[in-house]
Amino acid sequence: MKRKPVSYGEILERTVPDPSGAFAPSRDERRQAAHRGEPVFHPMRPHEHALAQQIYMELAKEPRIDRSHIEIIVQGAVAHLTGSVPGPATVALVEDVVGQVHGIERVVSDLVCPEGSAS
């Protein structure tokens, strides 16, 4: 006997092969990520896309930041930053700019710097 679905997401997962057309992690991927303590991202919703665009625009205003190697994923009010920047000072600057964007409550930074960088 099959277990009764407890959420609309479970019903969609069981009945519709690709409900939104966007990437969504499978049940196994979500379980594996939770086991490893990693975040599980859902496809960004329209308001999250808008926040990400706002963040990119704010970063563009700062001439010391090269946005070309920075990826931003917004989940709720949390901005997840990945990519590479020239040095630790740039990491701090990016985090400060992102943290000041209205609607962002927390910044999770996985930005990396090349070894031996001091700027």
Side-chain angles (χ1 to χ4, degrees):
M1 187 164 116
K2 283 191 173 183
R3 182 178 68 80
K4 202 175 196 180
V6 295
S7 70
Y8 180 69
E10 278 189 47
I11 294 169
L12 276 179
E13 194 173 272
R14 289 182 184 183
T15 58
V16 180
D18 189 12
S20 68
F23 169 77
S26 69
R27 183 181 307 148
D28 287 338
E29 289 170 327
R30 288 192 307 269
R31 287 180 181 158
Q32 289 172 0
H35 178 71
R36 291 188 304 261
E38 298 173 353
V40 180
F41 298 115
H42 61 266
M44 285 196 289
R45 297 174 177 96
H47 72 280
E48 294 167 336
H49 272 289
L51 274 174
Q53 290 305 315
Q54 185 178 354
I55 291 169
Y56 279 120
M57 289 187 326
E58 292 299 320
L59 290 174
K61 293 178 184 178
E62 178 55 61
R64 297 174 287 174
I65 298 174
D66 176 13
R67 307 175 307 156
S68 63
H69 294 69
I70 300 172
E71 182 181 353
I72 300 165
I73 299 173
V74 177
Q75 303 282 282
V78 180
H80 296 267
L81 310 175
T82 58
S84 61
V85 294
T90 309
V91 171
L93 180 60
V94 169
E95 292 171 353
D96 287 345
V97 170
V98 173
Q100 293 174 10
V101 171
H102 180 70
I104 297 298
E105 295 175 5
R106 195 172 117 211
V107 178
V108 177
S109 177
D110 288 323
L111 295 172
V112 296
C113 309
E115 265 187 59
S117 60
S119 61

